[in-house]
Amino acid sequence: MRKKLGLILGALLLLTAMLAGCGKAPDHSASSSQPAAETTAAAGNLVVKMLNVGQGDAILIQSPEQTVLIDTSDLDERDKLRQELKKAGVTKIDKVILTHPHADHIGGMDVVLNEFEVKEVYDNGMPSTSKIYLGYMKQLKAKGIAHKALKAGDVVDFGGGASFHVYAPTESHQQEGRQKGYKHDPNNESVVGKLVFGEFAMMFTGDAEKKEEVPIVGGFGSDLKAQVLKAGHHGSKTSSSKEFLRAVQPETALISCGEGNDYGHPHKETMKKYKALQLKIFETDKNGTITVSTDGKTYTVTPEQGGEQ
């Protein structure tokens, strides 16, 4: 009897172990705060040049495999853009990203399209009545250049392990912007995204103001962290909100603006915020073209002239 009871107990223990083994293993992935690994490891060096093009934006990115231009300066600064691109040894441009259709960001598109081989052009997907916008759209069609709209959640491959992660505008914002009668606010329809290369990251903001920054923080939070910040709206007080700066946690701020510009950029309110955070600050009006170089681990900032502001 005792032997039979022992056999029964043994069988029960074996059955219990088998049932436990069929259960789902605990999933710890949801509790991890680490970002997903990049699909391609950073290889070589990446260079970002905030070009000295006066009161406008034109930022050149040279990854190990591609040349990318974010914005193209203003109409009256086209000669400066041409000179800066040639000085950087640019002969072809794999991607052009236009953050929004204001003249000081898309004004140099005729130079870019007529004097350089361009493979793809991206913008914010918002329609515009701007003559410059309509002009470059016509050129893209005539030249057969691919045109795409960027939206939050997109990731664009810049080659060599470099990628651009888009945070704005949202697809719903784009759909709203295509409705008849919609009142556009181009600054707050800017393409906002982060360049990632290994452990290095740089935030690109176009002319986004607090109105666009705060929803981005709400949607992406800690994913916005980056060592270098391209100051929004040329250092205007309408941008670089406390909420956005808290999320990005930059170490360095780069400001593109014209010497003695009529807008007073960068505004003292913005500079006060940057200095309170002990950021390293560089401005094109005082430093000329500003070059950021990184191997994916560390980075250096080299101004054409002068030092930190």
Side-chain angles (χ1 to χ4, degrees):
M1 183 68 180
R2 187 176 295 175
K3 184 177 180 181
K4 187 176 180 180
L5 182 61
L7 289 171
I8 293 171
L9 288 172
L12 287 172
L13 288 170
L14 180 61
L15 180 62
T16 301
M18 288 174 66
L19 288 171
C22 292
K24 185 178 179 181
D27 181 4
H28 300 294
S29 61
S31 62
S32 173
S33 60
Q34 296 300 314
E38 294 296 321
T39 54
T40 305
N45 293 291
L46 178 140
V47 175
V48 179
K49 290 179 178 289
M50 177 174 274
L51 304 178
N52 181 21
V53 290
Q55 186 63 21
D57 271 12
I59 304 168
L60 180 67
I61 300 168
Q62 294 169 305
S63 83
E65 296 177 2
Q66 295 185 22
T67 297
V68 180
L69 185 63
I70 298 185
D71 288 329
T72 64
S73 79
D74 209 336
L75 285 167
D76 58 356
E77 304 292 357
R78 287 174 291 183
D79 285 341
K80 284 186 179 179
L81 175 67
R82 181 184 291 111
Q83 292 167 9
E84 290 292 334
L85 291 176
K86 290 186 176 178
K87 191 193 303 182
V90 176
T91 56
K92 69 178 181 65
I93 301 173
D94 295 282
K95 294 177 174 68
V96 176
I97 295 177
L98 302 170
T99 59
H100 64 294
H102 276 159
D104 59 331
H105 291 255
I106 66 171
M109 275 300 281
D110 61 338
V111 168
V112 172
L113 293 174
N114 292 329
E115 300 182 22
F116 298 89
E117 178 189 345
V118 177
K119 292 184 179 179
E120 296 178 299
V121 173
Y122 298 79
D123 60 26
N124 66 357
M126 297 284 192
S128 173
T129 57
S130 160
K131 289 183 179 179
I132 310 170
Y133 170 85
L134 295 174
Y136 85 69
M137 289 293 283
K138 186 177 180 179
Q139 281 184 287
L140 295 184
K141 188 175 181 180
K143 292 175 178 285
I145 297 173
H147 169 252
K148 301 175 184 177
L150 292 176
K151 64 182 184 303
D154 287 348
V155 178
V156 184
D157 182 13
F158 283 1
S163 57
F164 187 71
H165 301 243
V166 183
Y167 301 122
T170 62
E171 187 174 11
S172 60
H173 193 181
Q174 289 173 332
Q175 291 173 350
E176 187 180 4
R178 296 182 190 118
Q179 299 298 315
K180 188 176 180 180
Y182 177 80
K183 188 175 181 181
H184 286 278
D185 180 5
N187 285 348
N188 292 307
E189 296 167 356
S190 290
V191 171
V192 175
K194 183 172 74 173
L195 171 65
V196 178
F197 185 69
E199 298 170 16
F200 171 81
M202 178 172 173
M203 182 65 67
F204 290 81
T205 55
D207 278 355
E209 300 173 333
K210 182 176 180 178
K211 181 180 177 181
E212 187 174 26
E213 291 174 346
V214 173
I216 290 172
V217 173
F220 293 94
S222 60
D223 189 54
L224 303 176
K225 190 174 181 181
Q227 292 98 323
V228 180
L229 169 67
K230 198 293 292 190
H233 202 180
H234 318 285
S236 170
K237 63 185 178 182
T238 61
S239 305
S240 295
S241 62
K242 290 180 180 178
E243 295 90 340
F244 192 65
L245 292 176
R246 193 180 299 122
V248 177
Q249 298 180 44
E251 302 167 350
T252 302
L254 308 185
I255 303 170
S256 183
C257 60
E259 184 178 0
N261 66 85
D262 295 337
Y263 307 97
H265 293 154
H267 290 153
K268 60 183 180 180
E269 293 89 342
T270 300
M271 296 296 281
K272 185 177 179 180
K273 289 179 190 176
Y274 289 173
K275 289 179 179 179
L277 293 172
Q278 299 184 323
L279 304 188
K280 297 176 182 178
I281 308 168
F282 297 89
E283 302 174 32
T284 56
D285 60 331
K286 297 180 176 67
N287 296 121
T289 291
I290 305 159
T291 302
V292 179
S293 302
T294 178
D295 60 2
K297 294 180 180 179
T298 61
Y299 72 98
T300 59
V301 181
T302 307
E304 193 173 22
Q305 61 192 36
E308 295 176 30
Q309 301 307 310

